[in-house]
Amino acid sequence: MDNCLPTSRPFAAATAVLVLAVLASFWPPEAQGHNITEILEKLPEYGVYNSYMSLTKIADEVNSRRTITCLVLPNSAMSAVAANRSLATTKNALRLLVLLDYFDPQKLHDLPAGTTLTTTLYQTTGVAVGKQGFVNITNVRGGRVVFSSAATGGGSKPISEYTKSIRQIPYNISVLEISAPIVFPGLLDGSPVSGNSINLTAVLETAGCRTFASLIAASGTIETFQAAMEKGLTIFAPKDEAFKAEGIPNLSSLSRSDLVTLLQYHAVPSYAPEESLKAAVDRPVVTMAAGSSGKYNLTVSVQGEDVTLHSGRDSSRIAGTVLDDTPVCILTIENILLPVELFGETPALSPAPEKEKSPSPSPSPSTTAPAPSTVSAKAPSSLALSPPGTAPESAPAVSPETAAGKADDNTPSGVPKVVPFSWLAAIVASSWALLC
């Protein structure tokens, strides 16, 4: 340290601190994921609540959100809510117990002015009327905290009381036990839904999927769909414009068996709303076309809020939700999904004709061979997604540096990109050098 310049030390130290602070602002925080079913699975007193969270797929909605509070009912109270009611009605009751804010015991007892109005998951459905999607939280005498629907009106208000804390991951998820459900007039009045009570063709035609509706009716596929409704059914219905798109095979040339297979490829024999599909990015989605002749699976990718289905030959983004009435879900998609098992892989694109070049001096013999960097690798002919950790045999080897660059380019917007550790080490070393 004898060669250090004393006058430079304060400036160098300040520079080092500033650099590290800037780097820290770009460094991504540690992920704080949560899984409500895993939190409750070892607590048998909430087994009924936990099972309905899975059946209705509310668990997927909870797990996809960053900041959330779950109000949990013990078995006796949850059994009373679900008794003789459809899954759709039970699902709405559960949505009203999910608060889109973080409330731990301390925050509940320190509410400004002793009360607050908070938004619930039910408000995000688009079916809430007035204040049905909001809940009042109030501190009352004796340190008690109660919950009530903001849409109850002037009559006697059903009261649900906070009883104890179950689990908190600040400020990610809070799980609290309450004594009774939060309800508003009419919330639990829904009658059990029979699969045959939904007019599939009418729903599809209203959503702009008339061609798809006519095809499933004419081929008899609608009977298969209706039979699956009782246990669970999700339909990916292409819009009418999708059947007019360029490159779509002539469906009239298909045999009846192949047409039925294609239509069944657009359905899943389970309840899978959009939030549940987002959780399926690491596993295949088995369609109703699956059988001895092939797997007929789909894969899912997510970019921001967009969910895209991939057949291995083509892909289609989910355009919207037409019906979400547990256990039936109908989603519209932008393109027809063509299974590889039926239509084969996408043909390789023909190389574009070379443009005429202006005359140029003949190269010397030593320069006639193209440089290695100008030799293009042949692109894979299949668009099928490879399983995680694998790559197509024809894919060129990618260096770790290139792979890291590509991964960095695919970082979703709003997520800070990772600063290479080597950069941090170099800057710290440089800053330390300034000290000496």
Side-chain angles (χ1 to χ4, degrees):
M1 300 292 291
D2 294 339
N3 295 328
C4 291
L5 299 176
T7 57
S8 67
R9 288 182 182 180
F11 173 76
T15 301
V17 171
L18 178 61
V19 168
L20 291 175
V22 171
L23 285 174
S25 68
F26 287 97
W27 206 272
E30 183 179 355
Q32 294 289 327
H34 57 263
N35 189 312
I36 183 61
T37 54
E38 288 183 359
I39 291 174
L40 298 175
E41 65 182 359
K42 296 182 180 180
L43 302 172
E45 61 269 35
Y46 308 116
V48 178
Y49 174 95
N50 204 20
S51 66
Y52 277 103
M53 288 288 282
S54 296
L55 283 172
T56 60
K57 306 298 183 180
I58 293 294
D60 293 333
E61 296 186 53
V62 169
N63 296 339
S64 69
R65 292 184 174 269
R66 191 174 186 86
T67 303
I68 209 90
T69 298
C70 288
L71 304 177
V72 178
L73 294 173
N75 288 338
S76 57
M78 187 65 220
S79 296
V81 170
N84 299 320
R85 292 189 174 93
S86 67
L87 275 179
T89 299
T90 303
K91 182 173 186 175
N92 284 334
L94 288 173
R95 280 172 167 153
L96 205 60
L97 301 182
V98 179
L99 313 181
L100 305 186
D101 198 355
Y102 180 84
F103 290 93
D104 56 18
Q106 181 176 353
K107 186 174 180 179
L108 289 179
H109 289 96
D110 295 336
L111 295 175
T115 185
T116 190
L117 183 70
T118 189
T119 311
T120 72
L121 197 59
Y122 185 69
Q123 180 66 21
T124 67
T125 62
V127 300
V129 178
K131 294 184 178 181
Q132 289 179 346
F134 298 89
V135 163
N136 285 313
I137 308 176
T138 308
N139 274 324
V140 295
R141 295 178 181 177
R144 294 166 52 231
V145 178
V146 297
F147 302 84
S148 61
S149 169
T152 302
S156 59
K157 295 185 178 181
I159 294 298
S160 176
E161 185 172 345
Y162 162 71
T163 50
K164 66 177 181 179
S165 169
I166 299 175
R167 176 77 183 277
Q168 280 81 44
I169 304 177
Y171 293 90
N172 188 220
I173 184 171
S174 178
V175 186
L176 309 171
E177 181 190 282
I178 56 175
S179 60
I182 303 170
V183 298
F184 55 78
L187 176 66
L188 302 178
D189 294 346
S191 58
V193 177
S194 169
N196 293 327
S197 66
I198 298 176
N199 188 329
L200 270 181
T201 53
V203 172
L204 291 170
E205 288 175 358
T206 302
C209 305
R210 290 179 176 272
T211 304
F212 184 75
S214 64
L215 287 173
I216 63 173
S219 64
T221 309
I222 190 170
E223 298 174 2
T224 304
F225 288 172
Q226 288 174 333
M229 285 182 176
E230 294 291 346
K231 294 184 178 180
L233 174 69
T234 300
I235 297 176
F236 307 121
K239 292 274 197 174
D240 289 337
E241 294 79 6
F243 291 90
K244 305 172 185 177
E246 184 179 355
I248 297 300
N250 183 7
L251 302 185
S252 62
S253 65
L254 296 177
S255 66
R256 182 183 180 279
S257 175
D258 286 347
L259 178 60
V260 169
T261 298
L262 173 63
L263 296 174
Q264 290 181 341
Y265 188 64
H266 288 75
V268 175
S270 61
Y271 175 62
E274 194 168 345
E275 288 297 333
S276 297
L277 290 172
K278 289 180 180 179
V281 293
D282 295 326
R283 59 183 185 272
V285 176
V286 181
T287 70
M288 294 185 73
S292 58
S293 59
K295 293 182 178 180
Y296 289 96
N297 293 338
L298 293 167
T299 55
V300 180
S301 66
V302 179
Q303 182 67 37
E305 292 300 316
D306 289 339
V307 178
T308 301
L309 304 173
H310 304 271
S311 70
R313 176 188 171 96
D314 58 4
S315 62
S316 180
R317 188 182 70 89
I318 293 178
T321 299
V322 177
L323 178 70
D324 185 355
D325 195 357
T326 316
V328 179
C329 184
I330 300 178
L331 305 169
T332 55
I333 57 177
E334 295 177 340
N335 307 310
I336 299 175
L337 295 166
L338 303 175
V340 170
E341 294 86 347
L342 195 60
F343 295 96
E345 298 178 349
T346 302
L349 296 177
S350 301
E354 294 186 2
K355 295 181 179 180
E356 294 185 2
K357 298 180 180 179
S358 57
S360 58
S362 301
S364 63
S366 61
T367 61
T368 55
S373 62
T374 64
V375 179
S376 60
K378 183 179 180 180
S381 61
S382 172
L383 297 180
L385 300 180
S386 301
T390 65
E393 294 181 0
S394 59
V398 180
S399 66
E401 292 80 8
T402 303
K406 290 183 178 180
D408 189 55
D409 289 341
N410 291 330
T411 304
S413 60
V415 178
K417 297 184 179 181
V418 176
V419 179
F421 182 77
S422 58
W423 291 14
L424 176 62
I427 295 175
V428 172
S430 300
S431 300
W432 180 255
L434 291 173
L435 294 173
C436 300

